[in-house]
């Protein structure tokens, strides 16, 4: 006996408010891929709202959690001042200049700090900010935001761009607010190093403490700028070394700051040894150099991935992990994730001794192409 039903049995996803916003800006949107070898090579278009050239980036796996774009500040010029109700982090790919920050409508009380290629900074939430180029050549910046979920939450561009509220608990206008922090603290969640400053003047060269959790000789510190929920880290691998493959939720993005390398990623259902199990065709690879970008886990939650420094120089990456809103698991005070714990102990990391043999073989082949040597100690595989 047939039963009547209402509606269709298939659902076509509508465009999100942020996707509609991107289309309205009439900029190139570079999407549908795991990453790009060098985002400095992306085609730009004129961004009328900002008075500069720009382009949006939509990598697979960001899932509406992170917004990304590149913007070119004209030589001896500036982009249009703006403020907004979403968090935003800038990394300087090329150029040198200043950023002006002020709260409310009193532009006479603006605070100014300098930036250069390699600088990482974040205008505090809903403060006015104006980026000024100090040289005659164009400056290129990468902007990364949590705008997509915020656009979806409010569904009003006027509320996002014209809200008068001042977050005084995040920004007090103090003279040393954008002073770099030389001393690192310890993250209370996991005990690893954390930079508590609101600007990192040179992410490309800043000293990183030994960490070791992601691989042999791995160095890193975490950051969260200007009181943001949004956070990330800077990490470095010695030449000829690579990270343990691991799995986590989709969304994080890596930008290459130094050296050359690649990331491999595959769905969790392919197992921990995809090539050995005849599922190597499911593995995706993205190569990159300084300025290259990759979506670390481009599929659904649980994709495995690893990062490989395939050059004579150290591989340094800047990770954009995102911020709230984000799914909250477990209850406060309980250890629930175990990201860097051996998968055999209930964690999410494949130890070197248990990885697919093809991973090491592929890495050695890439090193040979670059004239570099494998630098992995034998004990790492035992």
């Amino acid at each position: 006996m047939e039963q009547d039903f209402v509606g269709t049995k298939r659902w076509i996803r509508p465009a999100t408010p942020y996707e509609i916003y991107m289309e309205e800006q009439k900029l190139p949107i570079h999407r549908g891929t795991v990453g790009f070898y060098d985002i400095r090579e992306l085609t730009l278009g004129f961004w009328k709202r900002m008075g500069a050239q720009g382009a949006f980036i939509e990598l697979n796996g960001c899932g509406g959690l992170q917004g990304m774009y590149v913007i070119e500040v004209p030589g001896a010029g500036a982009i249009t001042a703006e403020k907004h109700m979403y968090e935003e982090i800038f990394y300087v790919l090329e150029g040198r200049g200043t950023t002006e920050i002020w709260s409310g409508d009193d532009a006479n009380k603006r605070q100014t700090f300098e930036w250069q290629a390699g600088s990482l900074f974040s205008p505090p939430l809903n403060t006015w900010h104006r980026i000024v180029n100090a040289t005659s050549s164009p400056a290129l910046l990468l902007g990364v935001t949590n705008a997509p979920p915020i656009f979806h939450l409010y569904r009003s561009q006027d509320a996002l761009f014209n809200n008068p509220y001042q977050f005084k608990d995040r920004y007090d206008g103090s003279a040393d607010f954008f002073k770099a922090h030389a001393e690192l603290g310890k993250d209370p969640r996991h005990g690893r190093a954390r930079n508590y400053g609101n600007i990192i003047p040179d992410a490309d060269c800043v000293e990183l403490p030994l960490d070791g959790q992601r691989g042999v000789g791995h160095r890193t510190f975490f950051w969260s700028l200007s009181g943001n929920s949004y956070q990330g880290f800077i990490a470095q691998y010695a030449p000829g070394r690579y990270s343990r493959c691991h799995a986590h939720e989709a969304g994080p993005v890596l930008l290459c700051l130094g050296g050359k390398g690649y990331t491999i990623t595959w769905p969790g259902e392919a197992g921990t040894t995809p090539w050995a199990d005849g599922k190597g065709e499911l593995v995706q690879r993205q190569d990159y150099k300084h300025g290259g970008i990759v979506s670390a886990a481009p599929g659904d939650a649980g994709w495995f991935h690893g990062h490989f420094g395939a050059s004579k120089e150290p591989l340094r990456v800047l990770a954009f992990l995102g911020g709230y809103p984000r799914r909250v698991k477990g209850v406060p005070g309980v250890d629930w994730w175990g990201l860097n714990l051996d998968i055999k102990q209930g964690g999410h990391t494949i130890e070197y001794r248990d990885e697919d043999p093809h991973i090491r073989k592929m890495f050695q082949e890439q090193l040979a192409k670059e004239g570099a040597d494998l630098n992995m100690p034998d004990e790492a595989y035992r």
Side-chain angles (χ1 to χ4, degrees):
M1 175 180 175
E2 292 188 7
Q3 295 184 3
D4 294 334
F5 64 89
V6 177
T8 66
K9 294 184 178 181
R10 302 183 69 178
W11 180 73
I12 299 175
R13 182 180 75 80
T16 68
Y18 183 73
E19 289 170 331
I20 293 172
Y21 162 76
M22 287 196 297
E23 293 291 346
E24 291 174 348
Q25 304 309 301
K26 301 186 184 304
L27 293 182
I29 304 175
H30 301 279
R31 55 160 54 109
T33 181
V34 175
F36 294 98
Y37 185 68
D38 186 352
I39 59 175
R40 292 172 293 191
E41 299 173 352
L42 297 179
T43 300
L44 308 180
F46 182 68
W47 196 346
K48 183 178 180 180
R49 190 177 76 84
M50 302 304 296
Q53 296 288 314
F56 290 108
I57 302 173
E58 284 278 280
L59 299 182
N60 293 349
C62 286
L65 295 176
Q66 299 202 55
M68 292 180 290
Y69 65 89
V70 287
I71 188 165
E72 185 180 81
V73 188
I79 62 176
T80 305
E82 65 167 352
K83 64 183 179 71
H84 41 69
M85 292 289 290
Y86 53 83
E87 298 173 347
E88 183 172 44
I89 295 93
F90 287 103
Y91 171 78
V92 183
L93 289 154
E94 297 175 354
R96 179 172 56 84
T98 60
T99 295
E100 302 165 352
I101 303 285
W102 68 96
S103 295
D105 297 323
D106 191 357
N108 293 323
K109 294 183 179 180
R110 68 184 66 192
Q111 184 175 15
T112 302
F113 61 87
E114 298 180 348
W115 46 261
Q116 61 183 355
S119 292
L120 184 73
F121 64 89
S122 176
L125 185 63
N126 210 34
T127 58
W128 284 99
H129 49 279
R130 179 172 178 260
I131 297 177
V132 182
N133 189 345
T135 73
S136 58
S137 300
L140 187 66
L141 287 79
L142 171 68
V144 185
T145 76
N146 65 349
I150 305 303
F151 268 73
H152 206 121
L153 180 65
Y154 291 102
R155 298 191 295 280
S156 167
Q157 292 187 31
D158 182 60
L160 296 181
F161 292 112
N162 298 305
N163 191 317
Y165 187 79
Q166 299 177 41
F167 292 84
K168 295 181 180 179
D169 58 329
R170 296 202 187 198
Y171 178 64
D172 59 8
S174 58
D176 61 350
F177 188 88
F178 288 103
K179 181 180 179 180
H181 281 211
E183 299 294 328
L184 298 177
K186 184 179 291 188
D187 194 301
R189 299 169 302 165
H190 44 60
R192 300 165 77 183
R194 189 174 200 91
N195 187 314
Y196 284 94
N198 297 314
I199 184 172
I200 300 174
D202 191 353
D204 294 1
C205 299
V206 65
E207 184 177 353
L208 303 175
L210 190 65
D211 179 83
Q213 288 211 29
R214 190 64 84 226
V216 180
H218 170 248
R219 295 178 175 273
T220 193
F221 68 60
F222 288 76
W223 51 262
S224 181
L225 311 175
S226 300
N228 291 340
S229 296
Y230 201 111
Q231 58 186 310
F233 61 79
I234 304 172
Q236 182 169 297
Y237 302 91
R241 294 183 178 179
Y242 60 95
S243 76
R244 295 177 178 90
C245 291
H246 51 283
H248 55 61
E249 293 180 332
V253 171
L254 297 183
L255 177 73
C256 181
L257 303 185
K260 294 171 61 177
Y262 62 90
T263 290
I264 59 171
T265 182
W266 70 91
E269 57 265 28
T272 58
T273 53
W275 285 280
D277 295 335
K279 300 177 181 179
E281 75 280 358
L282 298 178
V283 181
Q284 300 181 42
R285 171 173 164 168
Q286 176 63 51
D287 289 68
Y288 40 72
K289 65 174 183 177
H290 184 201
I293 200 167
V294 64
S295 175
D300 295 326
W303 275 53
F304 287 106
H305 53 280
H307 316 299
F308 298 77
S311 67
K312 295 180 180 179
E313 299 77 33
L315 173 66
R316 178 172 287 221
V317 295
L318 171 62
F320 297 97
L321 301 181
Y324 294 102
R326 174 170 289 205
R327 187 184 301 277
V328 178
K329 299 180 180 180
V331 296
V334 175
D335 181 8
W336 58 270
W337 184 236
L339 172 62
N340 295 319
L341 189 65
D342 188 342
I343 197 169
K344 291 182 176 179
Q345 298 175 339
H348 300 267
T349 292
I350 305 170
E351 290 294 332
Y352 293 121
R353 64 176 181 271
D354 300 318
E355 69 184 15
D356 194 305
H358 187 74
I359 289 178
R360 186 175 181 182
K361 178 176 180 292
M362 179 169 57
F363 185 54
Q364 289 177 301
E365 291 174 349
Q366 187 64 37
L367 287 173
K369 292 179 181 178
E370 298 291 336
D373 298 320
L374 182 71
N375 187 25
M376 294 290 290
D378 290 339
E379 57 265 27
Y381 295 95
R382 294 197 292 266

